[in-house]
Amino acid sequence: MLMRNSLIYLFCFLSFFVKAQSTYQYSVAQDSAYIRNNYVKSEFMVKMRDGVQLFTQVYAPKDKSKLHPIIMQRTPYSCNPYGTDKYKKRIGPNPFMIRENYIVVYQDVRGRWASEGKFIEMTPHLDKKLSEKDIDESTDTYDTIDWLTKNIPSNNGKVGQWGISYPGFFTSAGSVSQHPALKASSPQAPMADLWRDDAFHLGAFMLGANFGFYNFFQAQTQPTKNRPAPYFSFDSPDGYDFYLKMGPTRNAEDQYYKKRNEYFHENFDHPNFDEHWQKRNILPHLQNIKHAVLVVGGWYDEQDLYGTFKTYQAMEKQSPNNDIRFVVGPWVHGGWAGASGQSLADVEFGSKTSLYYQEKIESPFFNHYLIDESLPLSLAEATLFETGSNQWKSFDTYPAKNAQETVLYLQNGGKLGFTKPQNENGVTSYISDPSRPVPFSGKINDGFSAEYMVEDQRFAYQRPDVISFETDTLKDDLTMVGNILANLKVSTSGTDADWVVKVIDVYPNDTPNDPAHPDVVYGGYQQLIRSEIIRGKYRNDFTKPEAFVPGKPTEVKLELQDVLHTFKKGHKIMVQIQSSCFPWADRNPQKFINIFEAKESDYQKATQKVYHQKAYPSFITFGVLKN
Amino acid sequence: MKKLFLLLSLLVGMTKISAQSLSVAQQDSAFVRENYVKYQYQISMRDGVKLFTNVYVPKDASANNKYPIVMQRTCYDVAPYGKDDYPQMLYYSRHMMREKFIFVEQDVRGRWMSEGTWTNMTPHIANKKAKTDVDEASDTYDTIDWLVKNIPNNNGRVGQYGISYPGFYTIAGALCGHPALKASSPQAPVSDFFFDDFHHNGAFTIGYGLTFPVFGVQHPKPTTESWYDNLFPKRNTQDGFDWYRTQTPLKNLGANYKDNFFWQEHVDHPNYDEFWQKRSIIPHLKNIKNAPAIMVVGGWYDAEDLYGPLTIYKNVEKNNQNIYNTIVMGPFGHGDWARERGHHMHSNVYFGDSVATFFQRNIELKFFKHFLKGAGDGKSDLPEAYLFDTGKKQWQEFKEWPAKTAQKVNFYLSNSGKLTDKITSDGYSEFVSDPNKPVPYTEDNKQLFGFTPRAYMSEDQRFAGRRTDVLTFETDILTEDVTLGGEILAKLKVATTGTDADWFVKLVDVYPGDEQNTPFTPKHITLAGYQQMVRSEIMRSRFRNSFSKPEPLVPNQITDVTFRLQDVLHTFKKGHKIMIQVQSTVFPLFDINPQKFVDNIYKADASDFIKATHKVYNSSAIEVEILK
């Protein structure tokens, strides 16, 4: 989603030069000087079919000896700096492309910053457009591309587009514009379904991600180039403490936002996956794409993991004879645009994966389709970084064809095994206390971090309100590929409960330490591989919540997003289950109620049970890559 | 290569070594060689047993330039043993070394190059009747007597010092009654293994689980080679927490120590019986004959011996007339006043610069100089108690300790989560204690790989307070500084569904939400909202009425459990909060209570360990002393 603010994007670009052991040879200063010397910046108001004008910046190469392709980003986060005398320090998808002399275009989307019109979140796509008034992001993209190709001198008639996060959504939406000049699109960590990814995960509200964001992302009544003033001062290095003290989720509105932000309040008005969210889901509309697309994302994307995999899969499935490709690396949200990509927190990947992607994948992709098709492009259908073994792998199809469906069952004694439990009464119970929720991270942070996605889970393992099941030591490498389906049989003493499932790689006890990480003990490290939460009342229908019957064993199924990870010989696979993950998700009062209306007194302890017996087996299903 | 160069230059005497060109360590080493001569002796004790003794005498000692003797007796070896091998430094403080004394180092009875039989915490024999009645006091007497009579050019005055176990030998030696002993500085002294080191209030310090080979095996004969190096338990994992889980029940740990007499003594004496009682030096600290001047030294964050220095100082003070008895407590972990590290940290907390040097130069050196070289009349220019306020981060001088002007205040543990000044109701706070999910005592996995616990005493307690099995109680944000200075008494009123339970009470300083990191705060630490441990202690309920006669708890019956936490001098600053945390397990610092009363926890089976629900009533109070 929500690139928290455009500063993060800028940082990724700038950090590029700070960590200067790269194979990229120019500093930010050198690139900035090149751009100033070789480009001219212009600004336009481009009229859309319904008369609304969108603020558009064009960095055009001075060189007129050749025709140049156009590459564009449409963003809700501002194309600052404004003014034809103020230049961005770097332009385009990555610095390797700066000297290829693209015409680089930035545009404020409808209703944002210097553009006219009204912004609504995740503009619903209109399958049928009956008049000039029927607009959406695909029509705005069409109209923009049309204007650019007709009005920007020396363009070669080919247009590409790219964007990360919300700009990724605008790229996805733009990719179905069907403009003939659009030749290459790269939606990256694209937002796709706000209810399912950024705002909620299977009904659980993403408190840490949303609370701070909307303080700055505010509605506009007219175009502006100025940052809005935040509603309140939010400076909280200890997010767990801050959000716990906030109390019931409603206090985010009652005490902080006070309904001043319509976008934030939409979450409160629409806790279920109702029509409001359904029409904002772009996935069903990603059809019949005829140009080249490169969908890009990171295994450790803390914001749009779902959007990444589902965008690729929707486009692939819904576009016959397509030229749609997929790249996933060991990256956080936007990490491929950064300086190195060699590690994340305690985990090392063995090479500068981000630089590799920029130079060997992204640049050749755009150059091939936008400059000259004789430029070599050798890129498989899916290029995925296999974590655990730390190597890039190419696939002809994704999901992988040579994946064998495998099931691991929760068993008695905290074990995880390939055989279905035969016992009559296997169950593990724990008490979930909303006044002491399980932290989503063992570190002190502001409640919103990407590093949690690879973090050592021993801090959770040691808690009485987290239960764990692990395999024996693996005798061979096991490579897990694709999504993971969790099927739990549970009961609660309350009438609603959250269920968090975590899949974990347990390192061997004698794993040596690493001088590059002097504070870390790697022996027995429990690295998080993938996790997901479901607000139990949505287990049968996202549109219609259903209470639990206290004490009654109930099936709860949830999908964890894709992985490509090798659990090495000597490691173990572990599943942990818990009923809170704070403040990543807000707390469940554990009483069937509209949680946005719940009061302090509604939050109650509950005894949770997870069954691992013949009548009620709990298990995870996933693909194992065969050679 | 460097050693050869130094040796050559000494022999030839022609090359002047420029101080600027050598590191500090090299300078110290050069100083020792240039200024001292080494002698070695086997000194006979009154029962014939000979104790190995290294003596380093200043080269310029003469009839006109006599030196006092400063001695350390230790169970930890007095290497280097070669007669021409000199240590890098004499004493741990180069200020003491450069002041120059006759330095003596002795292996105690039964250790390393000394003869005799070794036992832990040698029982002190108050009334010696025969030459075979020996203890550390008599060994010290015999040694001092021999030294003053046999070491040429000594000025007849002897001082003794030692850190940790050598601190025990120092206070034990202070009882020797020899008139030549003029100054003793027991530092982080062991005093009683049932209340310090291996146990706290009867709970076994499982965090010492690796140390038994050092203490529980006799050396085969006098030797310079370690006889226990291959006896340490094999840890097949780097995950310390997990390893200690495998050593529970304690029988499992014991499987590593089948031939270790010290381990067997633990198993055979789970209660504070005569075996442990006679090994406590505390009852003997009265009416000391020919008492030397005593300066007890300790660290507020000493994870091994905090009870020792405070209890020794207070008992000496209470039970002796006209004695020079003083105490120094700094912001140090165990023995950390011996190492100058520049920016002084304990765990992640910064306490200022050169704190160890301040102690070594301005306090310790002053003490020994006054009593061994100077007037020795007690006008040492040092206060009765020289204590570091760990909140204000500065030294403070006291005329007595505890301070008579301190005001006792009760903080009641209200189930509202607040510390109140009155009992709010007959309500209680409740939690489930599960021996299979013990509360960790640290979130720093690296600490769990150490030999003994160390840094946890200033660690951020947020990881604990976020658990369902840790209770937290805090004040409102303080509107002014509040200085806790003195003793702390936990007066818990509790009930449990089990028949035994441990209670671990923690006093915590909660930093404001806008606290900034210092330049020395490790990068992965956030001081905003940091919950700094100030003091903590465990109490095993079975010993609540008597440490020698344990008593089970009656399930669900409200019971008094009262115990001391060690002293503090800590200012909680305006903007901070005072917090108390209460939990039942603290692993792997202390062993896990089965929570079912068994006669001997060292013999408990895994099936004896049961979950229990604990209640802490609002009438529970932590009594502290507040200084104005």
Side-chain angles (χ1 to χ4, degrees):
Chain A
M1 137 153 152
L2 319 168
M3 206 34 133
R4 301 236 314 139
N5 51 55
S6 52
L7 279 175
I8 291 179
Y9 193 31
L10 187 63
F11 169 75
C12 284
F13 252 14
L14 290 180
S15 68
F16 199 96
F17 106 96
V18 167
K19 294 162 186 174
Q21 311 149 322
S22 62
T23 54
Y24 182 71
Q25 65 201 117
Y26 299 108
S27 67
V28 175
Q30 287 171 318
D31 283 346
S32 298
Y34 178 89
I35 292 164
R36 271 209 171 267
N37 292 332
N38 294 283
Y39 283 79
V40 175
K41 181 184 179 187
S42 314
E43 294 180 337
F44 307 97
M45 293 302 281
V46 175
K47 192 176 279 196
M48 299 294 103
R49 61 188 64 176
D50 65 341
V52 163
Q53 299 187 94
L54 302 190
F55 179 90
T56 311
Q57 277 176 359
V58 177
Y59 290 80
K62 288 181 185 171
D63 164 55
K64 301 292 182 220
S65 68
K66 292 202 299 270
L67 302 179
H68 305 292
I70 297 171
I71 189 156
M72 167 171 78
Q73 178 175 121
R74 293 173 12 86
T75 176
Y77 295 132
S78 166
C79 25
N80 60 18
Y82 296 97
T84 52
D85 55 330
K86 295 196 178 60
Y87 284 57
K88 285 188 194 286
K89 291 197 164 64
R90 281 185 165 140
I91 57 176
N94 71 64
F96 292 94
M97 290 170 64
I98 288 172
R99 285 163 182 72
E100 301 291 351
N101 286 340
Y102 282 76
I103 298 164
V104 184
V105 176
Y106 293 92
Q107 186 179 68
D108 285 336
V109 298
R110 182 180 286 260
R112 294 294 298 165
W113 293 91
S115 289
E116 300 175 343
K118 169 105 178 98
F119 175 82
I120 65 171
E121 292 244 58
M122 302 296 284
T123 318
H125 182 88
L126 301 170
D127 279 332
K128 281 189 169 50
K129 288 152 176 103
L130 302 169
S131 77
E132 302 288 47
K133 287 193 171 48
D134 287 339
I135 51 90
D136 57 25
E137 301 306 332
S138 75
T139 63
D140 282 352
T141 306
Y142 187 104
D143 295 344
T144 301
I145 291 175
D146 209 55
W147 185 92
L148 289 170
T149 50
K150 288 173 179 159
N151 289 282
I152 301 300
S154 304
N155 79 79
N156 73 355
K158 298 190 207 181
V159 179
Q161 48 161 356
W162 96 100
I164 300 178
S165 196
Y166 226 145
F169 159 74
F170 291 106
T171 308
S172 294
S175 71
V176 295
S177 68
Q178 304 299 352
H179 196 291
L182 179 58
K183 300 297 187 193
S185 294
S186 186
Q188 308 186 349
M191 285 165 65
D193 177 347
L194 201 51
W195 187 83
R196 185 55 193 76
D197 218 352
D198 307 83
F200 299 85
H201 273 220
L202 299 176
F205 181 54
M206 295 285 104
L207 181 59
N210 284 278
F211 181 81
F213 175 80
Y214 287 102
N215 203 12
F216 288 94
F217 193 85
Q218 302 177 14
Q220 297 174 211
T221 49
Q222 58 189 8
T224 176
K225 291 172 181 164
N226 300 315
R227 237 164 112 83
Y231 307 111
F232 47 81
S233 149
F234 173 57
D235 173 24
S236 186
D238 185 347
Y240 184 99
D241 189 59
F242 172 82
Y243 287 107
L244 193 58
K245 282 196 169 67
M246 184 188 284
T249 307
R250 60 183 293 158
N251 289 348
E253 275 287 16
D254 293 351
Q255 292 171 10
Y256 288 88
Y257 278 93
K258 303 185 185 175
K259 299 201 181 153
R260 290 175 287 186
N261 190 307
E262 61 189 79
Y263 309 130
F264 184 72
H265 197 72
E266 280 167 10
N267 298 303
F268 283 66
D269 282 340
H270 304 280
N272 309 329
F273 185 53
D274 60 12
E275 204 240 339
H276 170 88
W277 302 111
Q278 290 174 35
K279 69 184 185 189
R280 283 164 171 71
N281 175 9
I282 193 75
L283 295 171
H285 307 285
L286 300 176
Q287 304 174 4
N288 296 319
I289 297 167
K290 299 189 176 72
H291 64 282
V293 177
L294 185 67
V295 181
V296 180
W299 296 121
Y300 307 121
D301 190 330
E302 74 288 2
Q303 301 186 45
D304 294 292
L305 196 61
Y306 175 90
T308 297
F309 299 109
K310 301 311 185 206
T311 296
Y312 168 73
Q313 282 165 27
M315 286 185 171
E316 179 65 25
K317 204 161 87 161
Q318 292 162 181
S319 305
N321 303 320
N322 65 61
D323 196 359
I324 296 168
R325 295 184 181 87
F326 195 32
V327 176
V328 185
W331 304 311
V332 302
H333 192 67
W336 49 94
S340 159
Q342 181 146 344
S343 66
L344 175 60
D346 302 337
V347 182
E348 295 280 337
F349 306 121
S351 64
K352 293 183 168 59
T353 57
S354 302
L355 290 188
Y356 171 80
Y357 160 78
Q358 292 166 30
E359 187 181 13
K360 305 290 187 201
I361 299 178
E362 188 173 69
S363 302
F365 171 80
F366 282 123
N367 294 346
H368 176 86
Y369 289 104
L370 299 178
I371 298 177
D372 184 345
E373 296 217 352
S374 72
L375 292 170
L377 178 65
S378 156
L379 190 60
E381 172 69 22
T383 309
L384 310 176
F385 187 84
E386 187 176 84
T387 55
S389 64
N390 285 351
Q391 56 186 339
W392 286 101
K393 280 207 165 141
S394 297
F395 293 78
D396 299 332
T397 58
Y398 190 79
K401 265 213 286 276
N402 56 340
Q404 180 168 353
E405 187 177 276
T406 307
V407 183
L408 274 174
Y409 294 90
L410 274 54
Q411 297 170 338
N412 289 358
K415 297 209 87 45
L416 194 63
F418 296 100
T419 52
K420 237 178 157 160
Q422 295 303 313
N423 75 85
E424 304 290 327
N425 48 23
V427 64
T428 305
S429 74
Y430 59 95
I431 297 173
S432 169
D433 182 351
S435 73
R436 291 274 208 272
V438 183
F440 85 107
S441 165
K443 314 260 179 236
I444 304 296
N445 52 49
D446 66 3
F448 182 56
S449 103
E451 294 189 352
Y452 87 90
M453 293 180 81
V454 294
E455 199 180 315
D456 187 353
Q457 299 301 302
R458 280 180 285 194
F459 77 91
Y461 172 83
Q462 292 164 1
R463 291 176 61 105
D465 46 6
V466 177
I467 60 176
S468 306
F469 303 83
E470 62 179 9
T471 63
D472 291 332
T473 304
L474 298 175
K475 297 200 171 47
D476 281 305
D477 288 3
L478 185 153
T479 299
M480 202 181 263
V481 64
N483 63 356
I484 302 167
L485 299 176
N487 184 316
L488 305 181
K489 310 295 191 292
V490 299
S491 71
T492 174
S493 59
T495 47
D496 187 17
D498 291 345
W499 306 96
V500 180
V501 176
K502 294 148 76 175
V503 175
I504 290 159
D505 183 343
V506 184
Y507 294 14
N509 283 337
D510 56 3
T511 306
N513 286 339
D514 181 351
H517 300 274
D519 301 309
V520 182
V521 173
Y522 286 98
Y525 197 93
Q526 295 179 5
Q527 184 193 330
L528 184 64
I529 299 303
R530 185 57 81 234
S531 66
E532 189 55 285
I533 185 170
I534 183 168
R535 189 135 284 176
K537 63 185 174 181
Y538 293 109
R539 64 195 176 285
N540 296 322
D541 188 341
F542 294 152
T543 68
K544 212 168 74 205
E546 210 181 300
F548 282 80
V549 174
K552 176 167 174 233
T554 310
E555 184 180 67
V556 173
K557 297 196 286 199
L558 60 150
E559 178 195 32
L560 285 69
Q561 297 312 314
D562 300 28
V563 301
L564 175 61
H565 181 79
T566 299
F567 292 81
K568 288 187 151 167
K569 171 179 171 178
H571 290 226
K572 293 189 239 189
I573 304 172
M574 174 188 273
V575 167
Q576 285 182 5
I577 297 171
Q578 57 199 60
S579 287
S580 50
C581 201
F582 191 78
W584 178 70
D586 70 332
R587 299 166 299 146
N588 193 321
Q590 302 186 142
K591 180 167 140 185
F592 182 74
I593 190 176
N594 179 347
I595 295 175
F596 290 106
E597 291 172 3
K599 298 186 298 296
E600 190 78 57
S601 53
D602 292 317
Y603 289 75
Q604 57 190 25
K605 281 195 225 194
T607 300
Q608 320 291 40
K609 292 187 176 162
V610 179
Y611 298 87
H612 34 90
Q613 55 181 252
K614 191 163 172 193
Y616 305 115
S618 296
F619 51 92
I620 58 169
T621 308
F622 51 92
V624 173
L625 209 53
K626 291 299 166 206
N627 294 325
Chain B
M1 186 54 206
K2 288 192 183 85
K3 209 171 174 178
L4 184 60
F5 177 63
L6 287 170
L7 199 53
L8 277 172
S9 62
L10 275 166
L11 288 172
V12 173
M14 289 203 297
T15 317
K16 185 167 188 281
I17 301 164
S18 148
Q20 273 80 17
S21 64
L22 292 177
S23 72
V24 171
Q26 288 168 323
Q27 287 175 49
D28 290 338
S29 190
F31 183 87
V32 175
R33 282 193 169 277
E34 281 173 11
N35 293 282
Y36 282 85
V37 181
K38 180 176 183 176
Y39 302 95
Q40 300 183 312
Y41 304 104
Q42 296 277 10
I43 302 179
S44 280
M45 299 296 101
R46 62 190 63 176
D47 65 343
V49 163
K50 297 196 185 50
L51 303 189
F52 180 91
T53 314
N54 277 332
V55 180
Y56 300 88
V57 181
K59 282 185 184 170
D60 62 354
S62 70
N64 297 321
N65 188 20
K66 295 192 180 186
Y67 281 94
I69 293 168
V70 169
M71 170 170 76
Q72 181 184 196
R73 306 185 65 248
T74 176
C75 57
Y76 293 133
D77 88 54
V78 298
Y81 285 97
K83 71 177 178 55
D84 296 316
D85 291 333
Y86 287 71
Q88 195 162 287
M89 204 149 84
L90 292 171
Y91 206 95
Y92 61 74
S93 154
R94 74 175 50 82
H95 308 287
M96 282 289 287
M97 175 174 76
R98 283 164 187 273
E99 175 58 34
K100 295 199 337 197
F101 297 84
I102 295 167
F103 288 106
V104 173
E105 302 268 319
Q106 186 179 70
D107 285 332
V108 298
R109 187 178 282 264
R111 299 291 286 184
W112 297 92
M113 279 300 288
S114 287
E115 299 175 342
T117 305
W118 152 255
T119 185
N120 282 284
M121 297 303 284
T122 320
H124 180 85
I125 302 169
N127 297 309
K128 295 178 177 69
K129 299 194 174 72
K131 281 210 160 124
T132 46
D133 287 340
V134 292
D135 57 20
E136 301 305 332
S138 70
D139 283 351
T140 306
Y141 187 103
D142 297 344
T143 301
I144 289 175
D145 207 52
W146 189 93
L147 288 171
V148 296
K149 287 171 180 160
N150 290 283
I151 302 297
N153 304 318
N154 79 78
N155 76 354
R157 295 196 249 181
V158 179
Q160 189 181 6
Y161 78 102
I163 300 179
S164 198
Y165 227 142
F168 161 70
Y169 295 116
T170 305
I171 190 63
L175 307 181
C176 74
H178 199 294
L181 181 61
K182 299 298 189 193
S184 281
S185 186
Q187 309 190 350
V190 183
S191 60
D192 184 338
F193 273 156
F194 209 75
F195 297 98
D196 231 353
D197 294 287
F198 291 89
H199 301 87
H200 276 220
N201 289 335
F204 172 60
T205 314
I206 197 175
Y208 273 50
L210 292 173
T211 67
F212 283 80
V214 181
F215 304 108
V217 183
Q218 293 292 342
H219 72 167
K221 59 178 175 39
T223 176
T224 62
E225 304 282 308
S226 165
W227 60 97
Y228 53 75
D229 273 353
N230 61 343
L231 299 176
F232 291 103
K234 304 271 178 290
R235 293 211 295 194
N236 59 356
T237 175
Q238 300 270 352
D239 184 332
F241 187 91
D242 235 33
W243 184 78
Y244 281 103
R245 292 290 322 275
T246 64
Q247 304 304 300
T248 300
L250 291 178
K251 279 186 191 179
N252 296 356
L253 180 62
N256 296 292
Y257 295 131
K258 290 197 170 58
D259 298 316
N260 189 299
F261 66 78
F262 190 45
W263 174 259
Q264 198 54 47
E265 286 164 0
H266 279 67
V267 175
D268 291 343
H269 304 282
N271 307 323
Y272 193 53
D273 57 11
E274 206 234 339
F275 173 86
W276 293 111
Q277 289 176 36
K278 71 184 186 189
R279 281 161 173 76
S280 172
I281 199 72
I282 301 296
H284 304 287
L285 302 176
K286 56 180 196 270
N287 302 320
I288 302 168
K289 181 172 155 230
N290 288 336
I294 294 174
M295 182 177 78
V296 183
V297 177
W300 289 125
Y301 302 119
D302 191 332
E304 305 186 22
D305 299 289
L306 182 57
Y307 169 92
L310 292 165
T311 309
I312 287 172
Y313 165 75
K314 290 179 196 173
N315 275 274
V316 169
E317 193 63 20
K318 200 168 69 166
N319 297 315
N320 291 274
Q321 306 299 321
N322 303 320
I323 189 171
Y324 180 101
N325 174 43
T326 60
I327 182 166
V328 182
M329 296 291 292
F332 303 112
H334 190 67
D336 281 345
W337 50 92
R339 291 171 263 276
E340 179 52 73
R341 284 198 232 263
H343 307 301
H344 184 78
M345 308 287 290
H346 185 263
S347 182
N348 305 305
V349 183
Y350 170 64
F351 289 98
D353 291 342
S354 305
V355 188
T357 298
F358 179 85
F359 162 74
Q360 290 176 17
R361 199 169 50 196
N362 299 34
I363 303 176
E364 180 177 56
L365 181 62
K366 227 186 211 182
F367 171 76
F368 280 118
K369 270 181 78 170
H370 174 78
F371 287 101
L372 299 180
K373 292 188 178 182
D377 57 3
K379 298 193 176 81
S380 63
D381 192 33
L382 290 168
E384 174 73 15
Y386 218 149
L387 310 176
F388 192 92
D389 181 323
T390 47
K392 283 201 194 123
K393 304 198 165 75
Q394 59 192 37
W395 290 99
Q396 202 172 335
E397 301 184 21
F398 289 84
K399 291 195 171 57
E400 73 262 314
W401 188 260
K404 288 205 181 60
T405 55
Q407 192 186 354
K408 281 192 168 47
V409 168
N410 282 312
F411 287 118
Y412 292 94
L413 310 182
S414 165
N415 60 354
S416 63
K418 292 221 148 304
L419 288 174
T420 56
D421 56 3
K422 286 192 253 305
I423 300 173
T424 47
S425 75
D426 58 6
Y428 55 83
S429 310
E430 181 180 79
F431 64 98
V432 175
S433 169
D434 182 351
N436 266 328
K437 291 281 178 123
V439 183
Y441 82 95
T442 177
E443 57 180 342
D444 181 351
N445 292 329
K446 276 274 160 80
Q447 288 298 314
L448 296 170
F449 204 60
F451 197 55
T452 56
R454 198 164 187 93
Y456 78 95
M457 292 173 80
S458 308
E459 203 179 315
D460 188 351
Q461 300 303 306
R462 280 180 282 196
F463 76 93
R466 289 175 184 178
R467 291 174 60 106
T468 55
D469 47 6
V470 178
L471 301 176
T472 58
F473 310 90
E474 59 181 15
T475 62
D476 291 329
I477 296 175
L478 300 176
T479 53
E480 53 178 24
D481 289 0
V482 175
T483 300
L484 263 61
E487 300 181 330
I488 301 176
L489 190 64
K491 304 183 287 194
L492 302 184
K493 299 207 189 282
V494 295
T496 176
T497 54
T499 46
D500 193 7
D502 292 343
W503 308 96
F504 189 66
V505 170
K506 299 146 85 171
L507 174 67
V508 174
D509 184 346
V510 183
Y511 291 21
D514 58 3
E515 184 81 12
Q516 301 293 311
N517 281 6
T518 73
F520 319 111
T521 307
K523 288 201 171 40
H524 63 286
I525 297 297
T526 305
L527 290 188
Y530 195 89
Q531 293 181 3
Q532 185 195 328
M533 178 102 98
V534 177
R535 183 60 74 239
S536 62
E537 190 57 274
I538 191 166
M539 181 63 193
R540 188 144 281 183
S541 295
R542 59 173 54 207
F543 295 121
R544 66 195 175 286
N545 296 323
S546 160
F547 284 104
S548 52
K549 284 202 219 6
E551 258 175 72
L553 289 167
V554 175
N556 303 311
Q557 181 178 95
I558 303 181
T559 310
D560 287 348
V561 177
T562 299
F563 58 102
R564 292 220 158 276
L565 281 67
Q566 297 311 318
D567 299 10
V568 295
L569 176 61
H570 184 88
T571 297
F572 292 78
K573 292 186 158 169
K574 169 177 171 179
H576 290 224
K577 288 190 268 194
I578 302 172
M579 174 187 272
I580 297 288
Q581 289 188 2
V582 180
Q583 60 198 65
S584 194
T585 46
V586 51
F587 191 80
L589 176 61
F590 295 111
D591 70 323
I592 300 174
N593 193 321
Q595 301 188 142
K596 173 175 129 189
F597 185 90
V598 297
D599 280 335
N600 186 340
I601 293 178
Y602 290 93
K603 296 185 175 165
D605 291 313
S607 52
D608 292 320
F609 289 74
I610 58 168
K611 274 199 228 193
T613 300
H614 296 339
K615 292 185 166 124
V616 176
Y617 285 82
N618 291 6
S619 45
S620 302
I622 310 298
E623 183 190 274
V624 300
E625 298 192 278
I626 291 184
L627 300 174
K628 292 284 169 223

